[in-house]
Every structure is written in structure tokens, then in C-alpha cells.
Amino acid sequence: MLLEMGSSLESSTIENEEIETQYLQKGVRHLCERGLTRVPSKYILPINERPNLGDTRVNAGNLNLKLPVIDFTQFQGSDRCQAIHSLEKACREFGFFQLVNHGIKDDVILRMVDVSRRFFELPFDERAKYMSKDMASSARYGTSFNQSNDKVFCWRDFLKLSCQPLEDTVPCWPSSPEDLREAVVNYSKGTNFLYLMLMEAVLESLGLEETTEGAERKSRSIEEFEDGSQLIVVNCYPACPEPDLTLGMPPHSDYGLLTLLLQDEVEGLQIQHEGRWVTVEPLPNSFVVNVGDHLEIFSNGRYKSVLHRVLVNSCKSRISVASLHSLPFNSMVRPSPKLIDQANPLRYKDTDFATFLRFVSSHDMNTKTFLESRKLTS
């Protein structure tokens, strides 16, 4: 009889764990919609990794950081040299900056945020149509960071939309809300233009700019970036009943060349600066731009990608939209030969997107583990 009771109890425990796992795989929004009042154990970080209880030497969650602010219009006028200098300093010292006067119309920005919020408000069955384990899918809805590998889940749902080429990828995107495709297309075109203008300035700041002569000044150096990859990642961080136990995103760096991040008014983004976690204050009508792993490789380490993470809170949900840019998915990223000499030897292996996907599918992506795998030992 005791054996039967023990067996029954064990079976019940396994069944409950299976049920919980099924719910967790459906995402944070789905959990919250069921009236969640406590953070499930799968989301609870070890004490030393929690946002407000970790090592005080590297944790200063109540400190706010004003990133360098760069005025996009200065790249197009007589102040270009000063803007290039500011860009170089921001990439070298911070790896992050805020871009203002970017020229994307207010209604394009507002529609992008609004349609993102409405997508996550759709019934779960509608969102679930786009759940996929295929990391190369043109449209993928999911949860956490990498839900197949994450030992501890993070408090985040996402929608990832590939944008290159638009004529091939848009038909794969969600058809609901009905204005989502139009809103994302307009937004992706605007952010891709900004990316190309910023990359042209980055090349100039690295001393790599080459231009054609004549009435129409055009950079020859930027041509290899024009047909690059673009991935729009829409993030939803629901209000969390116990925000001190978990994170919206763990410490990580971005894989690409540059990321342009659109935030709503809710704080959450933190970067690691001078050994401390500091909160980036949202600046209205701006983008947060950060150096990615590929730019660190391309610059042979002159510009560094920076660890960042996302906090959650108990009062407000947060929406952000990241536009990640790099070379085409089938291209090799390597240090520029012009940035290699006796004083600055080759520091990184060549890499491509396929290598990144293989790494992500089999590794924990906390910190800068992928980039570390591409460094050459001295």
C-alpha cells in the first residue's frame, strides 16, 4: 500500500512538472493571463545573479547613466567632423549612445510601438501560430532568451521578424493585427537607412572611408553593407509579481554590427559600465544604439560590444523594439585588414551567421560567450 501511495505521489509530481513546463513554454504573457501571483521556480535566478542581491562591486541598479547623445543631423552638415569624433568616442568608451533628431517620422515610431503592444494582447492561440524552434524562421514568436537551452527562463516574450529581403519575408509575418506588416515595413526601412548612415560614419571614424569623386559623393566602403541582414525583435516584458528574483534579459551582447533600440517610457535597460550595472534613462524620440560583436571583430577590438541586461518591474509592462543589423547571413565577418599591423595584431577568427546559430543552439548565451569563442589566443 505504501509503495502504491509513493508511486502515485511520484506520478502526480511528474505530471505537475510536465503541466508547468507546458505552460512555461507558452510564454510569460500566457502565465500572467492565468492570474499568476508568484514567479515560477523556472524563472528564479541564483541569489548571486539576481538584479538587486548580487555582488555590489558589479551591481548598482539604482544608478542611472546618461549615455553620450549624438545628433543625427550633424552627420549631414558642416558639423560632420565633430559628430564623427563624438561617435568614435562613444563607441570606444561606452559601446552605446543615444541618437536624436534621427528623421524617422513620429507616426512611424508610434505605430510600431502600438502594433507591437497589440500583437502581444492577441489571444494566445493567435500568437502561438508563429511559435517555432527554427532560429532562421522569417517570423518567430517565443519566450525567454533561448527557451530550448535556458536553465533559468527570463521574463520576456518576443516576436522576431527577418527583413531581408522584404518581398520574401513579409508574407511570412503575422497577419494580425491587420496593420502589423505595413507598420513594420515602414519602420524597418527607416531604421535600415539610419543604420547605413551610421555605418558610413563608423567607417570614417575608423579611417576606412573611401569616396567616389564627382557630383554625387558616395562611399565605396559602405557598399558591402547595403544588402546586409536586418532582424526586428519586438520584446514584451510583462509586469512581474517578484521582479527582484528574475530578469527580463540576462547579461549578453548583441551578435551584429549595430543595434538600434526603440524603448517606451518604462525604464529597464541596464549596461555594464566601469564594473557596475547602470540604468539607461529613456530619452524621448531617440534610439539607443550599441556596438555588436561583429563590429568588435570588424574593428579588430577597437570598438567593444558591451554587456547589457533588462530589469522588470511589478507595476508596468515594457515594450522595446530592437533592429539588429549586420552583413548578409551568408557573409564572413572578419577584422578589416587595414586595422591590422604590428602594433595591432589579428585578434579574432573569421565568423558567419551559421556559426553563431550553431553556437546558440548548444550553449548558454549569458555574457559574451560567443565572442569569446572567436578570439585568438595570444
Side-chain angles (χ1 to χ4, degrees), residues 45-46 49 144-146 149-154 247 249-253 277 307-309 359-360 363-372:
L45 290 162
E49 295 178 22
S144 193
F145 193 73
N146 180 2
N149 286 339
D150 293 341
K151 295 185 179 76
V152 178
F153 275 14
C154 52
L247 284 169
M249 285 277 274
H252 68 284
S253 58
W277 285 111
L307 286 175
H308 50 289
R309 68 182 189 179
F359 190 93
V360 169
H363 289 76
D364 184 349
M365 285 304 292
N366 282 7
T367 69
K368 294 172 68 171
T369 48
F370 173 69
L371 187 66
E372 292 299 321

PDB file of all heavy atoms in Angstrom, residues 45-46 49 144-146 149-154 247 249-253 277 307-309 359-360 363-372:
ATOM      1  N   LEU A  45      16.365  33.226 -10.439  1.00  0.00           N
ATOM      2  CA  LEU A  45      17.813  33.188 -10.616  1.00  0.00           C
ATOM      3  C   LEU A  45      18.518  32.783  -9.320  1.00  0.00           C
ATOM      4  O   LEU A  45      17.994  33.015  -8.225  1.00  0.00           O
ATOM      5  CB  LEU A  45      18.319  34.572 -11.031  1.00  0.00           C
ATOM      6  CG  LEU A  45      17.961  35.044 -12.438  1.00  0.00           C
ATOM      7  CD1 LEU A  45      18.142  36.547 -12.545  1.00  0.00           C
ATOM      8  CD2 LEU A  45      18.820  34.326 -13.476  1.00  0.00           C
ATOM      9  N   PRO A  46      19.727  32.220  -9.439  1.00  0.00           N
ATOM     10  CA  PRO A  46      20.551  32.040  -8.245  1.00  0.00           C
ATOM     11  C   PRO A  46      20.756  33.389  -7.554  1.00  0.00           C
ATOM     12  O   PRO A  46      20.764  34.441  -8.212  1.00  0.00           O
ATOM     13  CB  PRO A  46      21.878  31.499  -8.807  1.00  0.00           C
ATOM     14  CG  PRO A  46      21.519  30.904 -10.132  1.00  0.00           C
ATOM     15  CD  PRO A  46      20.388  31.728 -10.665  1.00  0.00           C
ATOM     16  N   GLU A  49      22.962  36.098  -8.937  1.00  0.00           N
ATOM     17  CA  GLU A  49      22.664  36.624 -10.274  1.00  0.00           C
ATOM     18  C   GLU A  49      21.420  37.498 -10.289  1.00  0.00           C
ATOM     19  O   GLU A  49      21.059  38.045 -11.329  1.00  0.00           O
ATOM     20  CB  GLU A  49      22.486  35.466 -11.267  1.00  0.00           C
ATOM     21  CG  GLU A  49      23.748  34.650 -11.490  1.00  0.00           C
ATOM     22  CD  GLU A  49      23.519  33.490 -12.443  1.00  0.00           C
ATOM     23  OE1 GLU A  49      22.556  33.549 -13.241  1.00  0.00           O
ATOM     24  OE2 GLU A  49      24.288  32.515 -12.394  1.00  0.00           O
ATOM     25  N   SER A 144      11.557  33.780 -23.241  1.00  0.00           N
ATOM     26  CA  SER A 144      12.868  33.726 -22.613  1.00  0.00           C
ATOM     27  C   SER A 144      13.940  34.232 -23.578  1.00  0.00           C
ATOM     28  O   SER A 144      13.683  35.103 -24.408  1.00  0.00           O
ATOM     29  CB  SER A 144      13.166  32.306 -22.104  1.00  0.00           C
ATOM     30  OG  SER A 144      14.285  32.305 -21.243  1.00  0.00           O
ATOM     31  N   PHE A 145      15.155  33.701 -23.470  1.00  0.00           N
ATOM     32  CA  PHE A 145      16.272  34.105 -24.340  1.00  0.00           C
ATOM     33  C   PHE A 145      16.469  33.040 -25.402  1.00  0.00           C
ATOM     34  O   PHE A 145      16.390  33.293 -26.588  1.00  0.00           O
ATOM     35  CB  PHE A 145      17.533  34.300 -23.493  1.00  0.00           C
ATOM     36  CG  PHE A 145      18.657  34.994 -24.194  1.00  0.00           C
ATOM     37  CD1 PHE A 145      18.590  36.354 -24.443  1.00  0.00           C
ATOM     38  CD2 PHE A 145      19.782  34.309 -24.604  1.00  0.00           C
ATOM     39  CE1 PHE A 145      19.625  37.009 -25.097  1.00  0.00           C
ATOM     40  CE2 PHE A 145      20.820  34.948 -25.251  1.00  0.00           C
ATOM     41  CZ  PHE A 145      20.743  36.309 -25.495  1.00  0.00           C
ATOM     42  N   ASN A 146      16.709  31.833 -24.950  1.00  0.00           N
ATOM     43  CA  ASN A 146      16.767  30.666 -25.832  1.00  0.00           C
ATOM     44  C   ASN A 146      16.090  29.522 -25.072  1.00  0.00           C
ATOM     45  O   ASN A 146      16.727  28.781 -24.343  1.00  0.00           O
ATOM     46  CB  ASN A 146      18.220  30.320 -26.173  1.00  0.00           C
ATOM     47  CG  ASN A 146      18.331  29.102 -27.084  1.00  0.00           C
ATOM     48  OD1 ASN A 146      17.321  28.529 -27.485  1.00  0.00           O
ATOM     49  ND2 ASN A 146      19.554  28.717 -27.406  1.00  0.00           N
ATOM     50  N   ASN A 149      17.431  25.985 -24.404  1.00  0.00           N
ATOM     51  CA  ASN A 149      18.653  25.747 -23.636  1.00  0.00           C
ATOM     52  C   ASN A 149      18.692  26.413 -22.270  1.00  0.00           C
ATOM     53  O   ASN A 149      19.483  26.022 -21.411  1.00  0.00           O
ATOM     54  CB  ASN A 149      19.882  26.246 -24.415  1.00  0.00           C
ATOM     55  CG  ASN A 149      20.234  25.339 -25.579  1.00  0.00           C
ATOM     56  OD1 ASN A 149      19.860  24.184 -25.610  1.00  0.00           O
ATOM     57  ND2 ASN A 149      20.936  25.875 -26.552  1.00  0.00           N
ATOM     58  N   ASP A 150      17.867  27.443 -22.070  1.00  0.00           N
ATOM     59  CA  ASP A 150      17.965  28.231 -20.839  1.00  0.00           C
ATOM     60  C   ASP A 150      17.698  27.381 -19.600  1.00  0.00           C
ATOM     61  O   ASP A 150      16.628  26.780 -19.475  1.00  0.00           O
ATOM     62  CB  ASP A 150      16.972  29.403 -20.874  1.00  0.00           C
ATOM     63  CG  ASP A 150      17.322  30.426 -21.932  1.00  0.00           C
ATOM     64  OD1 ASP A 150      18.482  30.437 -22.382  1.00  0.00           O
ATOM     65  OD2 ASP A 150      16.439  31.227 -22.294  1.00  0.00           O
ATOM     66  N   LYS A 151      18.661  27.360 -18.695  1.00  0.00           N
ATOM     67  CA  LYS A 151      18.446  26.660 -17.423  1.00  0.00           C
ATOM     68  C   LYS A 151      17.437  27.426 -16.572  1.00  0.00           C
ATOM     69  O   LYS A 151      16.608  26.847 -15.886  1.00  0.00           O
ATOM     70  CB  LYS A 151      19.779  26.515 -16.677  1.00  0.00           C
ATOM     71  CG  LYS A 151      20.798  25.624 -17.376  1.00  0.00           C
ATOM     72  CD  LYS A 151      22.030  25.461 -16.501  1.00  0.00           C
ATOM     73  CE  LYS A 151      23.065  24.558 -17.164  1.00  0.00           C
ATOM     74  NZ  LYS A 151      23.791  25.231 -18.230  1.00  0.00           N
ATOM     75  N   VAL A 152      17.556  28.750 -16.598  1.00  0.00           N
ATOM     76  CA  VAL A 152      16.601  29.630 -15.934  1.00  0.00           C
ATOM     77  C   VAL A 152      15.975  30.516 -17.006  1.00  0.00           C
ATOM     78  O   VAL A 152      16.687  31.147 -17.782  1.00  0.00           O
ATOM     79  CB  VAL A 152      17.293  30.500 -14.859  1.00  0.00           C
ATOM     80  CG1 VAL A 152      16.278  31.448 -14.207  1.00  0.00           C
ATOM     81  CG2 VAL A 152      17.966  29.628 -13.803  1.00  0.00           C
ATOM     82  N   PHE A 153      14.651  30.553 -17.057  1.00  0.00           N
ATOM     83  CA  PHE A 153      13.970  31.384 -18.051  1.00  0.00           C
ATOM     84  C   PHE A 153      14.039  32.855 -17.645  1.00  0.00           C
ATOM     85  O   PHE A 153      14.103  33.184 -16.454  1.00  0.00           O
ATOM     86  CB  PHE A 153      12.504  30.976 -18.167  1.00  0.00           C
ATOM     87  CG  PHE A 153      12.266  29.819 -19.105  1.00  0.00           C
ATOM     88  CD1 PHE A 153      13.311  29.036 -19.554  1.00  0.00           C
ATOM     89  CD2 PHE A 153      10.987  29.513 -19.540  1.00  0.00           C
ATOM     90  CE1 PHE A 153      13.102  27.971 -20.423  1.00  0.00           C
ATOM     91  CE2 PHE A 153      10.753  28.454 -20.406  1.00  0.00           C
ATOM     92  CZ  PHE A 153      11.816  27.683 -20.844  1.00  0.00           C
ATOM     93  N   CYS A 154      14.017  33.737 -18.644  1.00  0.00           N
ATOM     94  CA  CYS A 154      13.914  35.165 -18.356  1.00  0.00           C
ATOM     95  C   CYS A 154      12.492  35.655 -18.669  1.00  0.00           C
ATOM     96  O   CYS A 154      11.757  35.049 -19.440  1.00  0.00           O
ATOM     97  CB  CYS A 154      14.975  35.978 -19.089  1.00  0.00           C
ATOM     98  SG  CYS A 154      15.097  35.710 -20.857  1.00  0.00           S
ATOM     99  N   LEU A 247      15.078  38.305 -14.311  1.00  0.00           N
ATOM    100  CA  LEU A 247      15.477  39.357 -15.247  1.00  0.00           C
ATOM    101  C   LEU A 247      14.642  39.245 -16.520  1.00  0.00           C
ATOM    102  O   LEU A 247      14.205  38.155 -16.899  1.00  0.00           O
ATOM    103  CB  LEU A 247      16.959  39.227 -15.617  1.00  0.00           C
ATOM    104  CG  LEU A 247      17.994  39.686 -14.591  1.00  0.00           C
ATOM    105  CD1 LEU A 247      19.386  39.227 -15.006  1.00  0.00           C
ATOM    106  CD2 LEU A 247      17.973  41.214 -14.445  1.00  0.00           C
ATOM    107  N   MET A 249      15.993  40.111 -19.467  1.00  0.00           N
ATOM    108  CA  MET A 249      17.032  39.522 -20.319  1.00  0.00           C
ATOM    109  C   MET A 249      18.289  39.386 -19.483  1.00  0.00           C
ATOM    110  O   MET A 249      18.639  40.300 -18.736  1.00  0.00           O
ATOM    111  CB  MET A 249      17.312  40.403 -21.536  1.00  0.00           C
ATOM    112  CG  MET A 249      16.262  40.344 -22.612  1.00  0.00           C
ATOM    113  SD  MET A 249      16.511  38.929 -23.706  1.00  0.00           S
ATOM    114  CE  MET A 249      17.666  39.616 -24.869  1.00  0.00           C
ATOM    115  N   PRO A 250      19.010  38.270 -19.614  1.00  0.00           N
ATOM    116  CA  PRO A 250      20.245  38.098 -18.855  1.00  0.00           C
ATOM    117  C   PRO A 250      21.368  38.933 -19.473  1.00  0.00           C
ATOM    118  O   PRO A 250      21.230  39.446 -20.590  1.00  0.00           O
ATOM    119  CB  PRO A 250      20.529  36.603 -19.016  1.00  0.00           C
ATOM    120  CG  PRO A 250      19.962  36.268 -20.359  1.00  0.00           C
ATOM    121  CD  PRO A 250      18.726  37.113 -20.486  1.00  0.00           C
ATOM    122  N   PRO A 251      22.488  39.080 -18.784  1.00  0.00           N
ATOM    123  CA  PRO A 251      23.621  39.808 -19.371  1.00  0.00           C
ATOM    124  C   PRO A 251      24.050  39.163 -20.689  1.00  0.00           C
ATOM    125  O   PRO A 251      24.262  37.951 -20.761  1.00  0.00           O
ATOM    126  CB  PRO A 251      24.718  39.673 -18.305  1.00  0.00           C
ATOM    127  CG  PRO A 251      23.975  39.450 -17.026  1.00  0.00           C
ATOM    128  CD  PRO A 251      22.769  38.638 -17.404  1.00  0.00           C
ATOM    129  N   HIS A 252      24.164  39.979 -21.731  1.00  0.00           N
ATOM    130  CA  HIS A 252      24.528  39.471 -23.052  1.00  0.00           C
ATOM    131  C   HIS A 252      25.040  40.620 -23.909  1.00  0.00           C
ATOM    132  O   HIS A 252      24.866  41.788 -23.579  1.00  0.00           O
ATOM    133  CB  HIS A 252      23.314  38.824 -23.733  1.00  0.00           C
ATOM    134  CG  HIS A 252      22.248  39.811 -24.112  1.00  0.00           C
ATOM    135  ND1 HIS A 252      21.386  40.363 -23.171  1.00  0.00           N
ATOM    136  CD2 HIS A 252      21.923  40.389 -25.300  1.00  0.00           C
ATOM    137  CE1 HIS A 252      20.570  41.212 -23.781  1.00  0.00           C
ATOM    138  NE2 HIS A 252      20.882  41.248 -25.073  1.00  0.00           N
ATOM    139  N   SER A 253      25.673  40.284 -25.010  1.00  0.00           N
ATOM    140  CA  SER A 253      25.998  41.278 -26.027  1.00  0.00           C
ATOM    141  C   SER A 253      25.264  40.878 -27.303  1.00  0.00           C
ATOM    142  O   SER A 253      24.852  39.725 -27.461  1.00  0.00           O
ATOM    143  CB  SER A 253      27.516  41.346 -26.267  1.00  0.00           C
ATOM    144  OG  SER A 253      28.019  40.073 -26.654  1.00  0.00           O
ATOM    145  N   TRP A 277      26.454  47.842 -12.944  1.00  0.00           N
ATOM    146  CA  TRP A 277      25.234  47.838 -13.734  1.00  0.00           C
ATOM    147  C   TRP A 277      24.535  49.178 -13.539  1.00  0.00           C
ATOM    148  O   TRP A 277      24.216  49.556 -12.411  1.00  0.00           O
ATOM    149  CB  TRP A 277      24.303  46.704 -13.303  1.00  0.00           C
ATOM    150  CG  TRP A 277      24.764  45.367 -13.768  1.00  0.00           C
ATOM    151  CD1 TRP A 277      25.252  44.345 -13.010  1.00  0.00           C
ATOM    152  CD2 TRP A 277      24.788  44.907 -15.124  1.00  0.00           C
ATOM    153  NE1 TRP A 277      25.574  43.272 -13.811  1.00  0.00           N
ATOM    154  CE2 TRP A 277      25.306  43.587 -15.112  1.00  0.00           C
ATOM    155  CE3 TRP A 277      24.440  45.475 -16.354  1.00  0.00           C
ATOM    156  CZ2 TRP A 277      25.472  42.826 -16.267  1.00  0.00           C
ATOM    157  CZ3 TRP A 277      24.602  44.727 -17.510  1.00  0.00           C
ATOM    158  CH2 TRP A 277      25.110  43.420 -17.462  1.00  0.00           C
ATOM    159  N   LEU A 307      28.225  44.330 -22.433  1.00  0.00           N
ATOM    160  CA  LEU A 307      27.181  43.556 -21.781  1.00  0.00           C
ATOM    161  C   LEU A 307      26.021  44.458 -21.375  1.00  0.00           C
ATOM    162  O   LEU A 307      26.226  45.551 -20.845  1.00  0.00           O
ATOM    163  CB  LEU A 307      27.731  42.861 -20.531  1.00  0.00           C
ATOM    164  CG  LEU A 307      28.634  41.643 -20.746  1.00  0.00           C
ATOM    165  CD1 LEU A 307      29.169  41.160 -19.406  1.00  0.00           C
ATOM    166  CD2 LEU A 307      27.901  40.528 -21.462  1.00  0.00           C
ATOM    167  N   HIS A 308      24.818  43.992 -21.615  1.00  0.00           N
ATOM    168  CA  HIS A 308      23.635  44.694 -21.144  1.00  0.00           C
ATOM    169  C   HIS A 308      22.589  43.660 -20.732  1.00  0.00           C
ATOM    170  O   HIS A 308      22.661  42.492 -21.090  1.00  0.00           O
ATOM    171  CB  HIS A 308      23.086  45.664 -22.197  1.00  0.00           C
ATOM    172  CG  HIS A 308      22.898  45.076 -23.568  1.00  0.00           C
ATOM    173  ND1 HIS A 308      23.957  44.749 -24.399  1.00  0.00           N
ATOM    174  CD2 HIS A 308      21.783  44.765 -24.271  1.00  0.00           C
ATOM    175  CE1 HIS A 308      23.498  44.258 -25.546  1.00  0.00           C
ATOM    176  NE2 HIS A 308      22.183  44.252 -25.483  1.00  0.00           N
ATOM    177  N   ARG A 309      21.622  44.098 -19.939  1.00  0.00           N
ATOM    178  CA  ARG A 309      20.568  43.234 -19.432  1.00  0.00           C
ATOM    179  C   ARG A 309      19.305  44.066 -19.281  1.00  0.00           C
ATOM    180  O   ARG A 309      19.325  45.292 -19.446  1.00  0.00           O
ATOM    181  CB  ARG A 309      20.971  42.608 -18.098  1.00  0.00           C
ATOM    182  CG  ARG A 309      21.083  43.596 -16.947  1.00  0.00           C
ATOM    183  CD  ARG A 309      21.529  42.942 -15.651  1.00  0.00           C
ATOM    184  NE  ARG A 309      21.424  43.875 -14.516  1.00  0.00           N
ATOM    185  CZ  ARG A 309      21.737  43.561 -13.265  1.00  0.00           C
ATOM    186  NH1 ARG A 309      22.181  42.344 -12.976  1.00  0.00           N
ATOM    187  NH2 ARG A 309      21.605  44.447 -12.296  1.00  0.00           N
ATOM    188  N   PHE A 359      26.330  27.829 -32.412  1.00  0.00           N
ATOM    189  CA  PHE A 359      26.787  28.104 -31.048  1.00  0.00           C
ATOM    190  C   PHE A 359      25.594  28.325 -30.119  1.00  0.00           C
ATOM    191  O   PHE A 359      25.515  27.762 -29.030  1.00  0.00           O
ATOM    192  CB  PHE A 359      27.704  29.335 -31.045  1.00  0.00           C
ATOM    193  CG  PHE A 359      28.415  29.555 -29.744  1.00  0.00           C
ATOM    194  CD1 PHE A 359      29.677  29.038 -29.520  1.00  0.00           C
ATOM    195  CD2 PHE A 359      27.826  30.294 -28.723  1.00  0.00           C
ATOM    196  CE1 PHE A 359      30.339  29.233 -28.316  1.00  0.00           C
ATOM    197  CE2 PHE A 359      28.469  30.501 -27.517  1.00  0.00           C
ATOM    198  CZ  PHE A 359      29.733  29.962 -27.312  1.00  0.00           C
ATOM    199  N   VAL A 360      24.644  29.143 -30.576  1.00  0.00           N
ATOM    200  CA  VAL A 360      23.466  29.465 -29.763  1.00  0.00           C
ATOM    201  C   VAL A 360      22.655  28.207 -29.451  1.00  0.00           C
ATOM    202  O   VAL A 360      22.115  28.052 -28.348  1.00  0.00           O
ATOM    203  CB  VAL A 360      22.582  30.505 -30.490  1.00  0.00           C
ATOM    204  CG1 VAL A 360      21.245  30.649 -29.807  1.00  0.00           C
ATOM    205  CG2 VAL A 360      23.279  31.849 -30.530  1.00  0.00           C
ATOM    206  N   HIS A 363      24.726  26.295 -26.530  1.00  0.00           N
ATOM    207  CA  HIS A 363      25.401  26.958 -25.416  1.00  0.00           C
ATOM    208  C   HIS A 363      24.452  27.878 -24.665  1.00  0.00           C
ATOM    209  O   HIS A 363      23.476  28.381 -25.222  1.00  0.00           O
ATOM    210  CB  HIS A 363      26.598  27.794 -25.914  1.00  0.00           C
ATOM    211  CG  HIS A 363      27.755  26.988 -26.388  1.00  0.00           C
ATOM    212  ND1 HIS A 363      27.761  26.344 -27.610  1.00  0.00           N
ATOM    213  CD2 HIS A 363      28.973  26.723 -25.813  1.00  0.00           C
ATOM    214  CE1 HIS A 363      28.914  25.720 -27.773  1.00  0.00           C
ATOM    215  NE2 HIS A 363      29.667  25.935 -26.703  1.00  0.00           N
ATOM    216  N   ASP A 364      24.794  28.124 -23.414  1.00  0.00           N
ATOM    217  CA  ASP A 364      24.146  29.149 -22.614  1.00  0.00           C
ATOM    218  C   ASP A 364      24.687  30.489 -23.084  1.00  0.00           C
ATOM    219  O   ASP A 364      25.906  30.708 -23.100  1.00  0.00           O
ATOM    220  CB  ASP A 364      24.489  28.925 -21.142  1.00  0.00           C
ATOM    221  CG  ASP A 364      23.788  29.894 -20.209  1.00  0.00           C
ATOM    222  OD1 ASP A 364      23.209  30.868 -20.711  1.00  0.00           O
ATOM    223  OD2 ASP A 364      23.835  29.671 -18.981  1.00  0.00           O
ATOM    224  N   MET A 365      23.799  31.416 -23.488  1.00  0.00           N
ATOM    225  CA  MET A 365      24.250  32.661 -24.109  1.00  0.00           C
ATOM    226  C   MET A 365      24.431  33.810 -23.123  1.00  0.00           C
ATOM    227  O   MET A 365      24.505  34.961 -23.503  1.00  0.00           O
ATOM    228  CB  MET A 365      23.284  33.078 -25.222  1.00  0.00           C
ATOM    229  CG  MET A 365      23.425  32.231 -26.478  1.00  0.00           C
ATOM    230  SD  MET A 365      25.094  32.232 -27.144  1.00  0.00           S
ATOM    231  CE  MET A 365      25.220  33.925 -27.706  1.00  0.00           C
ATOM    232  N   ASN A 366      24.471  33.520 -21.820  1.00  0.00           N
ATOM    233  CA  ASN A 366      24.791  34.576 -20.863  1.00  0.00           C
ATOM    234  C   ASN A 366      26.190  35.122 -21.132  1.00  0.00           C
ATOM    235  O   ASN A 366      27.080  34.393 -21.552  1.00  0.00           O
ATOM    236  CB  ASN A 366      24.722  34.046 -19.433  1.00  0.00           C
ATOM    237  CG  ASN A 366      23.284  33.939 -18.954  1.00  0.00           C
ATOM    238  OD1 ASN A 366      22.353  34.139 -19.733  1.00  0.00           O
ATOM    239  ND2 ASN A 366      23.105  33.617 -17.688  1.00  0.00           N
ATOM    240  N   THR A 367      26.380  36.385 -20.876  1.00  0.00           N
ATOM    241  CA  THR A 367      27.647  37.108 -21.070  1.00  0.00           C
ATOM    242  C   THR A 367      28.052  37.096 -22.540  1.00  0.00           C
ATOM    243  O   THR A 367      27.222  36.989 -23.424  1.00  0.00           O
ATOM    244  CB  THR A 367      28.767  36.566 -20.150  1.00  0.00           C
ATOM    245  OG1 THR A 367      29.137  35.254 -20.576  1.00  0.00           O
ATOM    246  CG2 THR A 367      28.322  36.520 -18.701  1.00  0.00           C
ATOM    247  N   LYS A 368      29.351  37.221 -22.820  1.00  0.00           N
ATOM    248  CA  LYS A 368      29.825  37.347 -24.202  1.00  0.00           C
ATOM    249  C   LYS A 368      30.491  36.052 -24.651  1.00  0.00           C
ATOM    250  O   LYS A 368      31.573  36.050 -25.236  1.00  0.00           O
ATOM    251  CB  LYS A 368      30.796  38.524 -24.305  1.00  0.00           C
ATOM    252  CG  LYS A 368      30.155  39.880 -24.047  1.00  0.00           C
ATOM    253  CD  LYS A 368      31.169  41.007 -23.973  1.00  0.00           C
ATOM    254  CE  LYS A 368      31.836  41.286 -25.281  1.00  0.00           C
ATOM    255  NZ  LYS A 368      32.660  42.509 -25.264  1.00  0.00           N
ATOM    256  N   THR A 369      29.816  34.924 -24.386  1.00  0.00           N
ATOM    257  CA  THR A 369      30.439  33.636 -24.642  1.00  0.00           C
ATOM    258  C   THR A 369      30.739  33.410 -26.119  1.00  0.00           C
ATOM    259  O   THR A 369      31.778  32.846 -26.463  1.00  0.00           O
ATOM    260  CB  THR A 369      29.541  32.500 -24.127  1.00  0.00           C
ATOM    261  OG1 THR A 369      28.205  32.709 -24.583  1.00  0.00           O
ATOM    262  CG2 THR A 369      29.550  32.447 -22.602  1.00  0.00           C
ATOM    263  N   PHE A 370      29.838  33.846 -27.022  1.00  0.00           N
ATOM    264  CA  PHE A 370      30.095  33.629 -28.443  1.00  0.00           C
ATOM    265  C   PHE A 370      31.331  34.407 -28.891  1.00  0.00           C
ATOM    266  O   PHE A 370      32.211  33.865 -29.565  1.00  0.00           O
ATOM    267  CB  PHE A 370      28.880  34.029 -29.288  1.00  0.00           C
ATOM    268  CG  PHE A 370      29.168  33.975 -30.760  1.00  0.00           C
ATOM    269  CD1 PHE A 370      29.372  32.755 -31.389  1.00  0.00           C
ATOM    270  CD2 PHE A 370      29.268  35.123 -31.521  1.00  0.00           C
ATOM    271  CE1 PHE A 370      29.650  32.674 -32.757  1.00  0.00           C
ATOM    272  CE2 PHE A 370      29.557  35.067 -32.882  1.00  0.00           C
ATOM    273  CZ  PHE A 370      29.746  33.836 -33.499  1.00  0.00           C
ATOM    274  N   LEU A 371      31.405  35.677 -28.523  1.00  0.00           N
ATOM    275  CA  LEU A 371      32.552  36.480 -28.922  1.00  0.00           C
ATOM    276  C   LEU A 371      33.847  35.905 -28.363  1.00  0.00           C
ATOM    277  O   LEU A 371      34.874  35.890 -29.046  1.00  0.00           O
ATOM    278  CB  LEU A 371      32.363  37.931 -28.452  1.00  0.00           C
ATOM    279  CG  LEU A 371      33.419  38.911 -28.967  1.00  0.00           C
ATOM    280  CD1 LEU A 371      33.330  39.091 -30.471  1.00  0.00           C
ATOM    281  CD2 LEU A 371      33.285  40.250 -28.278  1.00  0.00           C
ATOM    282  N   GLU A 372      33.799  35.437 -27.118  1.00  0.00           N
ATOM    283  CA  GLU A 372      34.996  34.846 -26.527  1.00  0.00           C
ATOM    284  C   GLU A 372      35.471  33.647 -27.347  1.00  0.00           C
ATOM    285  O   GLU A 372      36.671  33.403 -27.475  1.00  0.00           O
ATOM    286  CB  GLU A 372      34.717  34.410 -25.080  1.00  0.00           C
ATOM    287  CG  GLU A 372      34.471  35.553 -24.105  1.00  0.00           C
ATOM    288  CD  GLU A 372      35.667  36.489 -23.993  1.00  0.00           C
ATOM    289  OE1 GLU A 372      36.819  35.983 -24.001  1.00  0.00           O
ATOM    290  OE2 GLU A 372      35.451  37.712 -23.928  1.00  0.00           O
TER     291      GLU A 372
END
